[in-house]
Each structure stands twice: as structure tokens, then as C-alpha cells.
């Protein structure tokens, strides 16, 4: 054995020094790079092996619980392929603008596809859940439909990815809510659950037993935060009844103005409530029968002050900018007054006769607008019809309000068929320029008279040489809302006729593209519906 002792290997240069040498070059900084570039690479390789060899294995995380079973039937193969296509097109669309061409916009068909799949009771394919959750994260309008379709497995998966936490906000976080036959579990979740869990629980109990939900809310009301009290109080709209009145009367004295306002709104929707009676008494002192010459009319004397009792009953004292105080207070009083008050006050006149009466001193617009809000709040179809008037009447000369937003709300009270018929008459009389907003309240697919009125109005606009871009919103609605069976009848509109002399250059080409896209979209929707028919 030799007595020579080999010297210990020198410690390798630190990794940071090797990186610096590589950046500056071995000819400028040879330290740690004996042997030039080859030596630098050898040193880096040695360092890498040393680091990997010394790495301690991480402590494994606990495995997640298995995904819950979804007992709903699987999608038919064709429908599964269609969903994959729709979700892939959403990812590839990238929000590109410009001329759309004749191809259907697949991203706009996702809500309809989901609605049909949910009606048929299918479950989402496990492999497509990530793409479905990504789509719902990007589009809030998809979330309710997407989460119903995703089912319990979608909630389970959302709990594993922070990017999908939106799915847990309106649910119990993926866990099933206790049934109403489990009072101890209900009470425990109400006392200990997260806010989203408690909202979902209260809504579920309210739908099953309104009185029990009210008792649950009352049990912790005094300890809740103001913003939570507001959200919980809003849930009482479901199943609202006179049994809720004592609780809502107490809420009129709440510390939060928003809570007081919501409580007053709910009470005013109960015609027999004490608050509705108080508001009626105030309104009757302001609105009364009068005479204009020899004809009956409506006399108005708006309030001169807003006292403390009015404020407690939900009247907001300070008007918005640009509104007069007296007209602001009057509108709130009339809005909260039961509509049955007025026929009794005006000698038994019907709603239609009351709305037709002249209103003295320029108060007609304010009074009719308040009646519109009252009809919407009280869901009164007779008053809605009276305030809408005939669809052929110009909006500015109508009996109720010229506001299309308020007209849309009034239409929402009417039965579906009547609503569609009224809008069809409006379009036939006034065209599409003011119809977009009220079309949105009509049930889909559009009934034949409404669909035909829309198509006829589009055809008239094209023949008149109108700008097609002005009707792009209506055309988009038609793609989603027309009955797919109309596709064959629309084929004649896909041709490009000669342009009138005063038409916009190239307008007919755009119109032709738009009608071709409409036809192809309707046929695609028909195919989608057929693919979702259970075997």
C-alpha cells in the first residue's frame, strides 16, 4: 500500500458563479471553468448531478376523495362530439372581430346546447369537464347552465383548482345540502357553514317550506352582517306571503338603509300588508278624481315633505340628480300602493279606463311611470295590458311609458303567447329599430307570428337599402331564437339582389351573408337538438 495520500477533490464552484462565467465567457472569467468551455460544461453537469442526488423526496399530499357518482345518463356519442366542437371553438375564437361571413357562431350556441342537455337530464362527460369549467369561468352567462350540467363531479373538480372557485360560490362547495327532514344537520350548517353554503341552504329550505326558512333566518338575524342580511332578505321573494309580514315589519327598523328599502319593497308586494295600507293612504291624499272642463281627469298634488314615517316605510328622501323632490316622493308612494286602490278611488273605472284619463298639471308621465313600476312589482297582468296599450300606438304616444326598458318589464308579466303576439304587432307597426330590447323578453323559440314578423322586417330593411350593420343585434337574436323549422322558408333570402341606387355600397352582399349565416345556424341548431334526443 502506497503511503501517498490523494488530495481531497476541490469543492465545486457555486452554481451562481458558473452561470456568471457562462454569461461573460470563459475567456473573460476563467474562474470555475478550468479547461475552457468544455470544463465549464463538465462543472455544470457535475453540479446538476450533485443537486439531484441530494434532493429529499417531498411529503406526499393526501389523496382527494373520489369524485361522487353522477347517476344521470351519458350523452349520446354525436352529442358528445358536438359539445367537444363547441368548447374547442370557444377556445380558438380568441375574440376576433370583423366580418363574420356565413359560418354559424358556435360560441353563441353553447347556452342553447346546455339548456337542451339539461332538459334531457344528461350528465357531462368527465373528460370535457375542464373545458366546460374554463368556458364558464370566461362567461358568467354560462355559469348557471354549465354548473347544472357539470353536476356533482363538476363541483368536486372545481374544488381542486383555484381558477374554478367561482363554481363554489353559489353552492355548498360540492357537498350535498342536508334535507329538510334532517333538522339537526340543517341547523348545524346554518350556524357553522360558509356564506355560500348558507345562501344555498336558505334558498333550498325556502323553496320547500317558506315558514321554516323564515324561522331559520330569524334565529341569527341580529348577529348577521348588514351585507349578509340584505342577501338573506332577498331570498324571501320566493314564496312571499302574509306570514312574512311581521318579520319584514321589524326589518323596516334595521340599521342598514338597503335592508330597510328591500323590506319595504317586499311588503309593498303584499297588497294586504300594513305598509301597503299606509302607502295607499298617503298616495290617495296625492292622487284624486278631478275635472278638466266637463271631462273626468286625474288631479295630482305631490307631497310637500318626506317625514320620518315615510322614510321608515322605504321612501328615499333625497332624489337622484336632476329629479325634483316632490315628483320623486310621489313616484315612490304610488309605486308602493296596491293597484286595487285606484278603481275604488275612481268610481270603479278599470285599469284601462284609468290610464286613459287625462292627468292635470303635467303629472301624467310621473304617474304612469309609477303605475308601471307598481304593475311589475305586483305582477298584475291587467294593469300591464292597460299601460302597454295597443302595439300599433307609437311609443311616445302610448298610454303608459315610452321607455322600452319599462315596457320590457311589463311584457314579462303577460303569458308567453300574448307577449309574443304583442311584440309581433309592435314590429309590424314600427319595424325593428326599437324592438331589440323587447324581443329579449319573448320565450324561445319564437312563436311563428313573432318569427315571421322579425323576418319580414329584416327583408323590408334589406329591400330599402338600409345599413345591415344596424340590424346585426336583431340578426344575432334571430340566429338563436327563431324556430329551426323556419330554415327552408328563409332560403330565398340568401340570394344577392340588385342594389337600389341609394343603398349603401356592398350592403346587399352583407345582407346575403347574414341570411346565409341565419339559415346555416338554424339548420345546425336542428341537428344539435336531434343529437340530444335520448335513444
Amino acid at each position: 500500500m502506497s503511503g501517498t495520500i490523494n488530495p481531497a477533490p476541490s469543492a465545486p464552484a457555486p452554481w451562481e458563479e458558473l452561470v456568471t462565467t457562462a454569461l461573460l465567457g470563459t475567456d473573460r472569467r476563467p474562474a470555475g471553468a478550468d479547461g475552457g468551455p468544455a470544463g465549464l460544461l463538465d462543472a455544470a453537469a457535475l453540479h446538476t448531478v450533485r443537486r439531484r442526488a441530494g434532493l429529499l423526496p417531498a411529503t406526499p399530499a393526501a389523496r382527494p376523495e373520489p369524485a361522487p357518482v353522477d347517476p344521470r345518463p351519458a350523452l349520446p356519442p354525436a352529442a358528445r362530439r358536438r359539445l367537444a366542437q363547441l368548447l374547442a371553438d370557444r377556445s380558438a375564437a380568441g375574440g376576433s372581430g370583423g366580418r363574420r361571413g356565413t359560418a354559424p357562431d358556435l360560441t353563441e350556441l353553447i347556452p342553447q346546447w346546455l339548456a337542451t342537455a339539461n332538459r334531457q337530464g344528461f350528465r357531462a362527460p368527465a373528460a370535457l369537464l375542464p373545458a366546460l369549467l374554463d368556458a364558464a369561468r370566461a362567461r358568467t352567462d354560462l355559469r348557471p347552465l354549465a354548473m347544472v350540467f357539470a353536476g356533482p363531479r363538476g363541483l368536486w373538480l372545481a374544488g381542486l383548482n383555484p381558477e374554478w372557485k367561482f363554481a363554489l360560490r353559489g353552492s355548498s362547495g360540492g357537498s350535498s345540502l342536508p334535507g329538510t327532514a334532517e333538522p339537526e344537520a340543517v341547523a348545524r350548517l346554518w350556524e357553522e357553514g360558509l356564506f355560500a353554503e348558507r345562501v344555498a341552504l336558505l334558498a333550498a329550505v325556502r323553496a320547500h317550506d317558506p315558514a321554516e326558512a323564515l324561522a331559520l333566518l330569524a334565529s341569527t338575524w341580529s348577529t348577521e352582517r348588514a351585507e349578509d342580511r340584505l342577501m338573506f332578505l332577498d331570498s324571501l321573494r320566493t314564496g312571499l306571503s302574509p306570514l312574512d309580514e311581521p318579520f319584514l315589519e321589524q326589518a323596516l327598523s334595521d340599521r342598514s338603509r338597503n335592508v330597510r328599502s328591500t323590506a319595504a319593497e317586499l311588503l309593498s308586494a303584499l297588497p294586504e300588508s300594513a305598509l301597503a295600507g299606509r302607502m295607499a293612504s298617503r298616495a290617495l291624499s296625492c292622487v284624486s278624481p278631478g275635472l278638466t272642463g266637463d271631462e273626468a281627469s286625474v288631479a295630482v298634488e305631490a307631497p310637500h315633505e318626506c317625514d320620518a314615517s315615510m322614510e321608515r316605510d322605504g321612501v328615499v328622501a333625497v332624489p337622484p340628480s336632476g329629479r325634483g323632490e316632490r315628483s320623486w316622493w310621489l313616484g315612490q308612494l304610488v309605486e308602493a300602493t296596491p293597484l286595487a286602490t285606484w278603481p275604488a278611488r275612481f268610481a270603479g273605472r278599470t285599469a284601462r279606463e284609468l290610464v286613459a284619463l287625462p292627468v292635470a298639471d303635467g303629472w301624467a308621465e310621473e304617474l304612469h311611470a309609477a303605475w308601471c313600476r307598481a304593475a311589475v312589482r305586483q305582477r298584475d297582468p291587467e294593469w300591464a295590458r292597460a299601460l302597454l296599450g295597443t302595439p300599433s300606438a307609437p311609443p311616445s304616444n302610448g298610454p303608459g311609458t315610452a321607455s322600452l326598458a319599462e315596457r320590457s318589464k311589463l311584457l314579462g308579466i303577460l303569458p308567453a303567447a300574448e307577449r309574443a303576439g304583442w311584440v309581433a304587432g309592435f314590429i309590424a307597426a314600427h319595424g325593428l329599430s326599437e324592438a331589440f330590447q323587447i324581443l329579449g323578453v319573448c320565450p324561445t323559440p319564437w312563436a311563428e307570428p313573432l318569427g315571421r314578423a322579425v323576418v319580414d322586417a329584416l327583408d323590408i330593411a334589406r329591400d330599402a337599402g338600409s345599413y345591415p350593420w344596424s340590424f346585426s343585434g336583431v340578426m344575432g337574436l334571430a340566429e338563436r331564437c327563431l324556430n329551426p323549422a323556419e330554415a327552408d322558408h328563409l332560403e330565398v333570402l340568401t340570394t344577392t339582389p340588385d342594389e337600389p341606387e341609394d343603398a349603401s355600397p356592398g350592403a346587399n352582399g352583407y345582407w346575403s351573408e347574414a341570411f346565409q349565416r341565419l339559415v346555416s345556424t338554424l339548420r345546425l341548431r336542428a341537428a344539435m337538438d336531434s343529437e340530444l334526443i335520448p335513444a
Side-chain angles (χ1 to χ4, degrees):
M1 181 175 178
S2 170
T4 303
I5 300 177
N6 293 324
S10 59
W15 179 259
E16 293 77 8
E17 185 175 332
L18 296 179
V19 172
T20 302
T21 301
L23 291 173
L24 296 177
T26 55
D27 56 335
R28 297 182 59 188
R29 183 166 180 170
D34 295 340
L40 175 64
L41 294 176
D42 289 342
L46 176 62
H47 208 294
T48 301
V49 172
R50 288 167 61 91
R51 292 178 66 182
R52 289 180 177 176
L55 183 66
L56 295 176
T59 303
R63 290 186 176 181
E65 292 294 323
V69 175
D70 190 338
R72 297 176 296 177
L75 281 173
R80 179 190 173 107
R81 290 191 294 271
R82 181 72 67 189
L83 175 60
Q85 179 191 18
L86 294 174
L87 294 174
D89 186 80
R90 183 203 71 82
S91 300
S96 59
R99 192 162 176 166
R100 288 179 55 194
T102 61
D105 186 348
L106 298 187
T107 61
E108 291 303 316
L109 298 182
I110 297 177
Q112 287 195 352
W113 190 98
L114 289 171
T116 305
N118 288 337
R119 282 197 302 271
Q120 300 290 8
F122 290 118
R123 72 169 181 263
L128 294 178
L129 281 173
L132 180 65
L133 290 170
D134 279 341
R137 178 169 65 96
R139 285 181 57 178
T140 56
D141 63 309
L142 285 182
R143 291 179 183 178
L145 291 169
M147 295 318 301
V148 170
F149 185 56
R153 290 187 172 186
L155 286 175
W156 172 85
L157 190 60
L160 302 176
N161 185 346
E163 291 189 352
W164 299 328
K165 62 184 178 181
F166 70 87
L168 308 179
R169 292 177 190 142
S171 71
S172 59
S175 61
S176 58
L177 293 171
T180 53
E182 307 172 82
E184 292 183 1
V186 169
R188 184 167 57 253
L189 183 59
W190 180 250
E191 292 283 351
E192 303 173 1
L194 300 173
F195 176 68
E197 294 174 322
R198 300 179 72 212
V199 169
L201 176 67
L202 187 63
V205 176
R206 183 73 176 178
H208 181 266
D209 188 339
E212 183 179 347
L214 184 64
L216 196 66
L217 180 56
S219 67
T220 60
W221 180 256
S222 62
T223 62
E224 304 287 357
R225 299 183 305 166
E227 56 267 33
D228 293 351
R229 293 199 304 276
L230 182 62
M231 289 287 292
F232 292 143
L233 194 65
D234 202 59
S235 70
L236 300 186
R237 296 180 191 277
T238 301
L240 184 67
S241 75
L243 295 176
D244 300 315
E245 183 178 358
F247 180 82
L248 293 171
E249 272 286 340
Q250 291 182 358
L252 290 176
S253 302
D254 194 87
R255 301 183 303 275
S256 166
R257 185 181 69 178
N258 289 333
V259 171
R260 295 195 302 270
S261 177
T262 300
E265 180 187 345
L266 292 172
L267 283 168
S268 68
L270 296 171
E272 303 301 322
S273 68
L275 178 136
R278 295 193 296 270
M279 298 300 265
S281 177
R282 295 177 181 121
L284 287 172
S285 69
C286 299
V287 181
S288 58
L291 286 175
T292 301
D294 295 330
E295 295 185 357
S297 65
V298 180
V300 175
E301 179 66 28
H304 290 274
E305 64 174 343
C306 179
D307 57 30
S309 65
M310 289 170 62
E311 289 196 61
R312 183 183 181 274
D313 283 347
V315 177
V316 178
V318 180
S321 177
R323 288 288 302 274
E325 286 184 334
R326 297 182 65 198
S327 64
W328 173 244
W329 299 331
L330 173 72
Q332 293 179 80
L333 295 181
V334 173
E335 177 182 355
T337 296
L339 289 165
T341 302
W342 303 112
R345 177 64 162 164
F346 284 82
R349 283 183 169 86
T350 65
R352 196 176 297 276
E353 291 170 336
L354 282 168
V355 171
L357 288 176
V359 181
D361 301 325
W363 285 103
E365 183 178 350
E366 186 65 50
L367 178 63
H368 288 177
W371 275 343
C372 286
R373 296 192 297 273
V376 172
R377 182 180 293 188
Q378 298 170 39
R379 310 296 299 174
D380 191 310
E382 180 186 357
W383 274 86
R385 294 184 187 101
L387 291 161
L388 282 167
T390 59
S392 59
S396 57
N397 298 330
T401 173
S403 166
L404 289 175
E406 290 186 352
R407 287 187 165 212
S408 297
K409 293 176 183 178
L410 291 170
L411 283 166
I413 302 171
L414 302 181
E418 184 180 357
R419 195 185 319 164
W422 195 95
V423 176
F426 182 91
I427 292 171
H430 310 294
L432 290 169
S433 59
E434 296 182 324
F436 181 79
Q437 198 163 0
I438 59 176
L439 276 170
V441 302
C442 295
T444 58
W446 288 334
E448 184 177 353
L450 176 57
R452 180 53 48 195
V454 171
V455 172
D456 288 346
L458 288 170
D459 193 19
I460 291 170
R462 180 187 67 165
D463 290 345
S466 302
Y467 284 101
W469 311 279
S470 303
F471 299 91
S472 59
V474 175
M475 189 66 79
L477 272 179
E479 292 172 18
R480 300 188 296 275
C481 303
L482 270 177
N483 192 322
E486 294 289 327
D488 290 341
H489 302 152
L490 295 171
E491 190 74 47
V492 67
L493 300 177
T494 61
T495 59
T496 306
D498 295 334
E499 293 183 354
E501 292 184 1
D502 56 348
S504 306
N508 276 352
Y510 275 91
W511 278 111
S512 178
E513 281 186 2
F515 280 117
Q516 289 177 52
R517 183 172 60 250
L518 174 59
V519 170
S520 60
T521 301
L522 294 179
R523 287 176 175 158
L524 177 58
R525 285 176 49 208
M528 286 167 41
D529 289 344
S530 67
E531 293 164 357
L532 284 165
I533 296 175

